[in-house]
């Protein structure tokens, strides 16, 4: 069965609970502190593994207590840590997370050992990758390593998923035709659009996703927080698919995006060809994650997500909404997604496979 290979960052997360975020020159007293395993790469690897995919992590940690914490957390989630390199030349990456009541956060990351990851590390870690596998990338490691990993994966027939987070400042990883799926939130989508020279006046996230998809020749998924997610595929006309989020009371949103992305990558590896179903499952996983504290510790198991997804499954006539006309990932047909009725896998069959 195809597997997920994550090339990305590994951090220890130092979470500080604060009544409000401090302004310039202001000091606030926190009410709690904990240290746990995290990093965008590590979080997404754990999410993919808990979603049921065979998952391997390619990254770098320091020879320190934080590094051992991260490696142990990955292994306990079922992630293959063989390609994780330990270095004595840098500490494990550290993320300081300030968390407000209600779940909003501010995050500062120092890369540490993540900055030592090399193209050779990525190539060695991807040696076993083949057709059908999914290579999942983020931007908390050096950009040349991300670009090299994407090229290596494509050359070996694997699908490339790039979560463009943090928001990119260099277009080197955004080569048209160089990736299969781009996952972004709204600020990241705006940053990518600017780098690609696209108009900045898009009226909606759906319109921006359509423009990015056309520019990159890729499936573009934009997460919308409490509003769910939307997706657009080049060649699908002027259609964007939207799925709602599950209504929850957030506790900590730190791992929401990583949980969504890891579950989506697992759906790709699993062969799910109904984009609406894959997005609903990823959105359900993210919704469950924000009801818990921490990063890796908040990521739900597959059985929890399937149960939540079943409970929230839309009734016929409300399976997903679209914007504009046509279908996603298929030739133009008479308003398939704009017509009230269930979204079918036939309508979206090409979106996750092309």
């Amino acid at each position: 069965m195809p597997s997920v290979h994550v090339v990305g960052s590994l951090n220890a997360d130092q979470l500080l609970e604060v009544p409000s975020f401090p302004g310039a020159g202001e000091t606030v007293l926190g009410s709690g502190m904990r240290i746990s395993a995290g990093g965008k790469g590590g979080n997404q690897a754990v999410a993919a593994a808990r979603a049921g995919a065979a998952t391997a992590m390619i990254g770098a940690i320091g020879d320190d207590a934080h590094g051992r914490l991260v490696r142990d957390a990955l292994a306990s989630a079922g992630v293959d840590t063989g390609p994780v390199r330990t270095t004595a030349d840098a500490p494990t990456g550290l993320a300081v997370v300030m968390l407000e009541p209600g779940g909003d956060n501010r995050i500062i990351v120092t890369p540490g050992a993540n900055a030592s990851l090399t193209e050779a590390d990525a190539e060695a870690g991807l040696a076993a990758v083949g057709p059908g596998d999914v290579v999942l990338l983020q931007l908390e490691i050096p950009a040349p390593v991300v670009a090299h990993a994407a090229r290596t994966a494509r050359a070996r027939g694997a699908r490339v998923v790039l979560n463009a987070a943090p928001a990119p400042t260099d277009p080197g990883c955004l080569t048209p035709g160089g990736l299969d799926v781009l996952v972004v939130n709204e600020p990241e989508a705006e940053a990518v659009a600017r780098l690609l020279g696209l108009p900045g006046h898009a009226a909606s996230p759906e319109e921006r996703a359509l423009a990015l998809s056309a520019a990159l020749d890729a499936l573009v998924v934009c997460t919308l927080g409490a509003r769910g997610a939307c997706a657009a595929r080049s060649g699908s006309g002027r259609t964007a698919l939207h799925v709602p989020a599950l209504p929850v009371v957030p506790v900590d949103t730190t791992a929401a995006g990583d949980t969504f992305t890891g579950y989506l990558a697992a759906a790709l590896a699993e062969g799910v060809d109904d984009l609406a179903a894959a997005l609903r499952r990823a959105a359900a996983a993210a919704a469950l994650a924000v009801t818990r504290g921490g990063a890796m510790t908040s990521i739900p198991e597959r059985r929890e997500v399937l149960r939540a997804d079943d409970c929230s499954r839309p009734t016929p006539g409300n399976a997903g909404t679209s914007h504009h006309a046509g279908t996603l990932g298929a030739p133009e047909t008479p308003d398939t997604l704009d017509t009230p009725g269930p979204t079918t896998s036939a309508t979206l069959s090409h979106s996750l496979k092309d």
Side-chain angles (χ1 to χ4, degrees):
M1 181 176 176
S3 52
V4 176
H5 302 256
V6 183
V7 185
S9 58
L10 296 167
N11 296 328
D13 288 349
Q14 184 177 44
L15 189 142
L16 307 173
E17 296 177 2
V18 296
S20 61
F21 300 128
E26 181 185 6
T27 299
V28 299
L29 292 177
S31 58
M33 188 275 285
R34 62 180 179 269
I35 297 177
S36 60
K40 296 196 72 63
N43 294 339
Q44 291 178 18
V46 168
R50 289 185 179 159
T55 305
M57 181 72 217
I58 300 133
I61 53 176
D63 185 11
D64 51 32
H66 285 167
R68 290 186 288 275
L69 170 72
V70 171
R71 188 184 289 275
D72 289 348
L74 290 169
S76 67
V79 176
D80 177 6
T81 62
V84 174
R85 177 171 55 82
T86 299
T87 176
D89 297 328
T92 300
L94 179 67
V96 177
V97 182
M98 292 186 294
L99 179 66
E100 275 190 329
D104 287 337
N105 61 44
R106 299 286 188 275
I107 304 174
I108 303 171
V109 177
T110 180
N114 294 307
S116 74
L117 200 65
T118 66
E119 294 179 13
D121 290 326
E123 187 144 359
L126 296 175
V129 164
D133 289 335
V134 174
V135 174
L136 178 54
L137 308 166
Q138 320 81 33
L139 299 178
E140 286 186 339
I141 58 174
V145 178
V146 176
H148 185 74
R151 290 192 298 269
T152 300
R154 296 279 285 190
R156 294 175 180 170
R159 286 169 289 182
V160 176
V161 179
L162 173 64
N163 176 212
T169 58
D170 184 324
C173 301
L174 300 167
T175 305
L179 53 100
D180 297 283
V181 183
L182 175 71
V183 182
V184 286
N185 62 20
E186 292 180 83
E188 292 155 1
E190 293 175 7
V192 172
R194 285 194 299 271
L195 285 174
L196 297 178
L198 300 179
H201 57 272
S204 70
E206 289 80 9
E207 289 183 349
R208 182 165 283 118
L210 286 161
L212 289 174
S213 180
L216 293 170
D217 189 23
L219 172 67
V220 173
V221 178
C222 183
T223 59
L224 307 172
R227 305 195 317 279
C230 65
R233 172 77 201 190
S234 60
S236 65
R238 292 187 54 77
T239 300
L241 175 71
H242 177 266
V243 295
L246 297 183
V248 296
V249 178
V251 172
D252 182 353
T253 61
T254 301
D258 293 337
T259 300
F260 181 99
T261 303
Y263 263 81
L264 182 62
L268 282 168
E270 186 179 335
V272 175
D273 60 3
D274 182 339
L275 178 59
L279 292 176
R280 279 198 310 268
R281 187 180 300 179
L288 290 176
V290 304
T291 65
R292 307 163 180 178
M296 287 185 190
T297 55
S298 73
I299 298 170
E301 299 285 350
R302 177 187 176 95
R303 63 182 179 277
E304 300 175 83
V305 175
L306 293 180
R307 185 164 57 246
D309 186 30
D310 285 342
C311 291
S312 66
R313 190 172 298 279
T315 57
N318 190 32
T321 57
S322 63
H323 302 258
H324 309 297
T327 62
L328 183 61
E332 290 287 334
T333 59
D335 297 350
T336 305
L337 291 178
D338 282 337
T339 302
T343 304
T344 66
S345 59
T347 301
L348 299 165
S349 61
H350 299 289
S351 297
L352 288 179
K353 287 186 174 180
D354 288 355

